[in-house]
Amino acid sequence: MDPVCMWPKVAVLLLLLLTAMRPRTEAMVITSSGSQTVQKAEGESVDLGCTYTPAAEDKGELDIEWSNVSPDMTQKDKLLLSYAAGQTHNYYPEFKDRLKFSTEPNQGDASITISALKASDTGTYQCKVKKAPGVDMRKVTLVVLVPPSVPKCWVEGGEEKGATVTLRCKSSKGSIPLTYVWTRETGGAMPATATQDVGGELVIKNHTDSNTGTYVCEAKNSVGQAQCKYNLRAYNPTDNVGKIVGGVIGGLLLLILLLILIWLLIVCRQKKRYQKEAANEIREDVPAPESRPASRQSSRHSSFQSMAGYRTHQGVQYSSVRGHMPSIHESGPIYTGSSNSPSIAGDKATSLKYDERYGFAV
């Protein structure tokens, strides 16, 4: 091969080698290397790291954003905190007093601190640092665990000798996995007939006096523990037959009392109905008062005065007009102009005296 022809190829190889050996300028990079998942207890504080190093070519405005990544890919991430143009902005009131930058974010550290953690703070948080043309981001998952609440200890069933006794323990709050462990505080070691599980159940078979004492149940998870105590006793077996008989007798007495109340209600209703019917019969059996002749004559006289337009006056005695009064179709004069004028009605006349005070004959 001609050496002259090889020189161009050698020159190209040398140029490529020199280019590869030149130091490269790195782009914006986040240098935090902590755990991607952080677990903390409720009420504590946590630091989410986000240190960064910009490249020499990154001359743009520094822009930092912390957001809560939505688990639903169709929903937008929730912007929580930002730094731009030298100003810090907090976007959610629920984080306003609990979320802040740990240091000055323009000094290469955009880490944040969340205080007074709540269970609702659990989620994935993303740090995004931008300084044009460089940009980089990092995600951290925060898990807020709730320590167990003080559990409740109780016994299921009785504490009779010779029977199987079951002790139970349960916390109303606490992040899973939550485990329970029973220990014996007084009275010696755990009974040989006792068995327990992580769900908080302790079973003691063939219960005796030697099993009495104080038992402690501890509930715990990765961020805390709590406990309760139960003082176990041993009682002689009770007379179950007596309990059954007493229950039956009590039920019968209650039934009898109920029947008596129903009977009294029925009697009261029947008594009221009888009194009402008797009162109605008495009103129907009372005879009407007999009318007297004088009353009939007085009634006819009053009716005649009403038809004639007369008014009766207290203290004035009126004369009764006896006999048949002529109708408007009968003949015969009736004089009312003077005190001596006769009044004739049919075959029999009655003398009337005109009284000027009242305007009619009396």
Side-chain angles (χ1 to χ4, degrees):
M1 180 178 291
D2 189 353
V4 178
C5 296
M6 293 182 59
W7 279 110
K9 295 181 180 180
V10 173
V12 172
L13 290 174
L14 290 174
L15 181 61
L16 293 174
L17 182 60
L18 291 174
T19 304
M21 292 178 64
R22 289 179 59 188
R24 293 184 302 168
T25 302
E26 298 290 342
M28 169 72 73
V29 61
I30 293 179
T31 59
S32 293
S33 58
S35 175
Q36 297 292 107
T37 302
V38 180
Q39 292 186 350
K40 285 290 184 176
E42 187 178 44
E44 294 183 349
S45 298
V46 65
D47 292 328
L48 302 182
C50 184
T51 57
Y52 63 91
T53 301
E57 292 86 356
D58 297 336
K59 303 296 185 180
E61 190 73 30
L62 179 63
D63 187 2
I64 301 172
E65 292 181 353
W66 274 95
S67 57
N68 189 309
V69 179
S70 174
D72 186 355
M73 300 299 294
T74 63
Q75 301 294 325
K76 288 184 176 181
D77 296 342
K78 184 166 63 175
L79 182 61
L80 304 176
L81 188 68
S82 70
Y83 177 87
Q87 298 292 325
T88 300
H89 303 278
N90 198 316
Y91 295 92
Y92 275 84
E94 61 193 78
F95 281 106
K96 185 176 182 180
D97 298 326
R98 301 191 297 120
L99 175 63
K100 64 180 181 179
F101 284 107
S102 302
T103 59
E104 286 295 327
N106 58 355
Q107 301 299 317
D109 189 356
S111 302
I112 59 172
T113 299
I114 306 176
S115 58
L117 287 171
K118 302 178 182 179
S120 58
D121 295 338
T122 297
T124 300
Y125 295 81
Q126 176 178 272
C127 172
K128 181 180 179 181
V129 182
K130 181 180 179 182
K131 191 173 185 181
V135 60
D136 198 8
M137 61 187 66
R138 178 176 186 258
K139 293 182 180 179
V140 182
T141 299
L142 173 64
V143 179
V144 180
L145 299 175
V146 179
S149 60
V150 176
K152 177 184 177 182
C153 294
W154 75 96
V155 63
E156 277 193 357
E159 300 172 64
E160 297 179 356
K161 297 178 183 179
T164 298
V165 176
T166 301
L167 297 177
R168 290 192 177 276
C169 172
K170 195 70 175 177
S171 290
S172 59
K173 295 181 180 179
S175 299
I176 56 174
L178 193 62
T179 59
Y180 301 88
V181 177
W182 280 97
T183 57
R184 190 173 182 180
E185 187 176 65
T186 62
M190 189 70 73
T193 59
T195 58
Q196 64 176 306
D197 57 26
V198 295
E201 181 181 84
L202 173 65
V203 178
I204 304 176
K205 296 180 179 179
N206 192 22
H207 186 40
T208 63
D209 288 327
S210 61
N211 298 333
T212 59
T214 302
Y215 290 77
V216 179
C217 175
E218 183 180 69
K220 60 181 178 180
N221 59 13
S222 58
V223 292
Q225 62 276 335
Q227 64 180 24
C228 61
K229 298 181 181 182
Y230 187 83
N231 188 23
L232 182 63
R233 299 177 177 84
Y235 299 107
N236 292 322
T238 57
D239 186 5
N240 293 330
V241 176
K243 287 184 177 180
I244 295 174
V245 173
V248 172
I249 294 175
L252 289 176
L253 291 176
L254 183 61
L255 179 61
I256 292 172
L257 180 61
L258 182 62
L259 292 175
I260 291 174
L261 291 176
I262 294 174
W263 178 77
L264 289 175
L265 289 174
I266 294 174
V267 169
C268 290
R269 287 179 62 88
Q270 290 180 347
K271 184 176 180 181
K272 290 181 179 180
R273 184 183 300 173
Y274 172 77
Q275 291 176 348
K276 186 176 181 180
E277 292 177 354
N280 292 337
E281 290 177 359
I282 291 174
R283 285 196 294 269
E284 292 175 358
D285 294 341
V286 174
E290 296 181 358
S291 59
R292 293 175 294 178
S295 299
R296 287 197 298 268
Q297 292 294 336
S298 176
S299 176
R300 285 196 297 268
H301 185 60
S302 300
S303 300
F304 175 76
Q305 288 179 345
S306 298
M307 293 175 62
Y310 299 147
R311 293 182 302 173
T312 58
H313 296 271
Q314 187 176 4
V316 179
Q317 184 176 3
Y318 298 91
S319 300
S320 175
V321 179
R322 300 182 181 276
H324 175 67
M325 297 295 294
S327 65
I328 58 176
H329 300 291
E330 293 177 337
S331 62
I334 297 177
Y335 299 99
T336 59
S338 64
S339 60
N340 297 325
S341 298
S343 175
I344 302 173
D347 297 335
K348 190 175 181 178
T350 302
S351 176
L352 299 177
K353 183 178 179 181
Y354 179 78
D355 193 327
E356 294 181 353
R357 292 179 301 171
Y358 304 109
F360 50 84
V362 296

